[in-house]
Amino acid sequence: MADGDEHEHGAPGRLESILTDSSAPLAGRVWAAGAIELGMLLRLAAPAVVMYMINYLMSMSTQIFSGHLGSLELAAASLGNTGVQMFAYGLMLGMGSAVETLCGQAFGAQKYDMLGTYLQRSAVLLCCTGIPLAAIYAFSEPLLVLLGQSPEIAHAASIFVYGLIPQIFAYAINFPIQKFMQAQSIVLPSAYISTGTLVLHLLLSWVVVYKAGLGLLGASLVLSLSWWVIVAAQFAYIAVSPTCRETWTGFTWQAFSGLPAFLKLSAASAVMLCLETWYFQILVLIAGLLPNPEIALDSLSVCMTISGWVFMISVGFNAAASVRVSNELGAGNPKSAFFSVWVVTSLCAAISVVFAIVMLCLRNHISYLFTESEIVSEAVADLCPLLAITLILNGIQPVLSGVAVGCGWQQFVAYVNIGCYYIVGVPLGIVLGFVFNLGVKGIWGGMIGGTTMQTAILLWVTIRTDWSKEVEEAHKRLNKWDDTKKQPLLTAATDNS
């Protein structure tokens, strides 16, 4: 396989040789290795960033179309998108990241034949998970009211959410396909597919929302359709592309075997990712309990939408970090894995600082992309310092999470997230927001405290990691696979989770 040969004999092999050459000056080694690593990272991250940003822009544009219908519609779309849809997004993305760990390490060791099976197993599990999620979507209105949301906003949000039910099952197939392709460093086709779909999405949204007058339901139905277009196009690519001829050999009944063991690793991955995505979802739900919830939700939704859009850059680097680390561990290159971690973390942190400065400079203008309300604009400007801090943290934390996925540390990170987010962050936000009457700023400030603690712990663990030992752990998984000839990589991965 061309990609596998390049991994063995190309840039990654040269990178390890440079880093282990003790006869060369340290500065020279770092400079030469940095040039190679940056090239590989950018080839992975740039298309991934484009893909994630464009996919997020589809949701963002749907919110913009809804917001120009009125402030109630903006609040409803925000609550539906961030308060309900992110629940499914986090769960599906988290479960799909099990494919990232398994396929990444197998591909690094040139063990190609099980990648397609892992993809199919994950898709089966995620589609089954989608059934109870669809029921939650169907009863979203009483659930939102039960959580204390305004009945008027909850009713409007439920209409929006009904149109997102087909999107659940698009997620169930998209994320395994996406991780399957990323493990092989195939990211450019997904970027092209997402770009073309965004153009179609904008055109259909304009026609359906404004010309056909279908409002919130029409906007969310178009969003669901757009995600299915992405799924169909990506599947068509892996089915016919010669680059996937060794990793995708067609459908197999083996996809239905070993599901309990695969579920164990998927569940650990899901808990890790869900605890992160739900954390900010809780922020929106708590804000809906404040006095004058419409203004609070509108201003917060603008900030969180911008944060989420910039966050997609970090998610792209997250994917690149996960692929680079898992591939290098599978190939037995501990110094390359270590070096990749620090190059991608430094680069992403620098980019996030630039975006934070830009947001502060545009604090009085950015809200007009979403609404014409001056009251909302003032509220957004007041929240921008917190937004800037969040952007900087989001430049570091997702990359470290990508490293964790590449190494298979999902269970450990899940425990860290529980402590930092839900024992510290959420209670602190509630106290600041309601007891000290700081409102949205207090709630968000508490959340930032939890994120800062989590980032510091992940950074400390990453610094202290023995990368040679991580290579040994990856090889144990692969060796067990060779011994059993049936699902060993999966079994070993779950044994270590």
Side-chain angles (χ1 to χ4, degrees):
M1 183 174 183
D3 289 340
D5 293 340
E6 179 186 346
H7 189 277
E8 182 179 14
H9 303 294
R14 294 198 309 274
L15 178 61
E16 188 71 11
S17 297
I18 291 170
L19 292 171
T20 54
D21 183 10
S22 58
S23 63
L26 178 60
R29 280 186 285 158
V30 171
W31 182 265
I36 293 174
E37 181 62 35
L38 278 174
M40 290 189 290
L41 276 175
L42 292 177
R43 280 195 296 273
L44 280 170
V49 167
V50 170
M51 177 189 68
Y52 282 115
M53 288 184 71
I54 288 177
N55 289 348
Y56 188 80
L57 275 173
M58 288 198 303
S59 294
M60 186 175 175
S61 64
T62 297
Q63 200 160 311
I64 291 173
F65 278 113
S66 301
H68 284 285
L69 293 172
S71 59
L72 174 63
E73 285 79 2
L74 175 60
S78 169
L79 190 58
N81 245 338
T82 310
V84 178
Q85 181 243 19
M86 284 300 292
F87 176 83
Y89 183 91
L91 183 61
M92 294 296 189
L93 179 61
M95 293 184 70
S97 73
V99 177
E100 199 166 3
T101 301
L102 297 173
C103 288
Q105 293 187 0
F107 187 80
Q110 300 183 22
K111 305 290 187 179
Y112 304 127
D113 53 317
M114 286 299 290
L115 270 71
T117 303
Y118 290 143
L119 159 64
Q120 293 173 65
R121 282 189 188 142
S122 183
V124 169
L125 282 176
L126 266 63
C127 284
C128 292
T129 305
I131 296 173
L133 286 177
I136 293 174
Y137 275 41
F139 293 97
S140 57
E141 182 176 359
L143 288 174
L144 289 171
V145 172
L146 184 64
L147 291 172
Q149 303 302 308
S150 159
E152 185 181 19
I153 296 177
H155 175 70
S158 68
I159 295 174
F160 183 84
V161 167
Y162 294 153
L164 296 179
I165 291 177
Q167 185 191 50
I168 297 172
F169 298 97
Y171 283 165
I173 302 175
N174 174 74
F175 290 132
I177 290 177
Q178 199 177 82
K179 302 303 182 184
F180 166 86
M181 294 173 69
Q182 287 174 358
Q184 305 171 66
S185 301
I186 302 172
V187 285
L188 199 55
S190 294
Y192 289 140
I193 290 168
S194 295
T195 302
T197 305
L198 176 63
V199 175
L200 176 65
H201 175 76
L202 293 174
L203 178 61
L204 288 177
S205 295
W206 179 74
V207 171
V208 170
V209 175
Y210 297 136
K211 297 301 179 181
L214 295 181
L216 286 172
L217 180 61
S220 56
L221 282 172
V222 170
L223 184 58
S224 292
L225 174 63
S226 297
W227 272 95
W228 273 107
V229 170
I230 290 175
V231 168
Q234 288 188 140
F235 180 75
Y237 177 85
I238 66 171
V240 303
S241 172
T243 58
C244 298
R245 65 181 181 273
E246 293 185 52
T247 53
W248 176 262
T249 56
F251 293 101
T252 172
W253 287 109
Q254 196 177 358
F256 296 93
S257 65
L259 288 177
F262 202 97
L263 177 61
K264 182 180 177 182
L265 182 60
S266 296
S269 301
V271 169
M272 170 187 154
L273 267 293
C274 286
L275 290 173
E276 293 181 11
T277 55
W278 294 348
Y279 187 50
F280 292 99
Q281 177 187 4
I282 289 171
L283 172 61
V284 175
L285 293 173
I286 295 174
L289 304 177
L290 293 168
N292 197 0
E294 190 171 313
I295 297 299
L297 281 173
D298 285 352
S299 60
L300 187 60
S301 71
V302 170
C303 289
M304 295 310 295
T305 300
I306 293 169
S307 174
W309 184 67
V310 177
F311 183 70
M312 291 302 106
I313 297 175
S314 299
V315 171
F317 280 97
N318 168 297
S322 179
V323 171
R324 290 288 301 119
V325 171
S326 61
N327 284 178
E328 295 295 355
L329 292 178
N333 298 328
K335 291 186 180 296
S336 296
F338 167 81
F339 191 74
S340 178
V341 167
W342 297 113
V343 170
V344 68
T345 303
S346 301
L347 180 60
C348 201
I351 293 172
S352 67
V353 169
V354 172
F355 273 102
I357 294 172
V358 171
M359 287 300 109
L360 287 174
C361 294
L362 298 177
R363 60 190 297 178
N364 295 314
H365 307 286
I366 54 177
S367 68
Y368 292 111
L369 286 172
F370 302 86
T371 179
E372 298 170 4
S373 171
E374 292 187 8
I375 298 176
V376 173
S377 177
E378 292 174 1
V380 169
D382 194 41
L383 290 175
C384 265
L386 295 176
L387 173 61
I389 296 172
T390 301
L391 293 181
I392 293 172
L393 288 173
N394 285 348
I396 302 172
Q397 182 270 336
V399 175
L400 297 177
S401 292
V403 173
V405 170
C407 295
W409 299 341
Q410 287 96 325
Q411 191 173 61
F412 166 74
V413 178
Y415 290 129
V416 173
N417 290 352
I418 290 173
C420 296
Y421 289 163
Y422 299 96
I423 297 179
V424 176
V426 173
L428 180 60
I430 292 173
V431 170
L432 292 175
F434 292 92
V435 178
F436 289 90
N437 296 317
L438 295 178
V440 174
K441 293 177 71 175
I443 296 171
W444 199 346
M447 297 290 190
I448 287 175
T451 305
T452 302
M453 180 179 292
Q454 187 244 23
T455 302
I457 292 174
L458 289 183
L459 194 60
W460 176 248
V461 170
T462 304
I463 290 171
R464 293 176 58 85
T465 296
D466 183 342
W467 293 100
S468 295
K469 183 178 179 181
E470 292 300 322
V471 167
E472 292 175 6
E473 291 298 320
H475 283 177
K476 286 180 183 177
R477 300 181 183 112
L478 298 174
N479 289 336
K480 191 166 184 178
W481 182 5
D482 289 337
D483 290 338
T484 62
K485 303 298 181 185
K486 184 178 180 182
Q487 304 162 12
L489 180 59
L490 170 62
T491 304
T494 52
D495 287 344
N496 286 284
S497 65

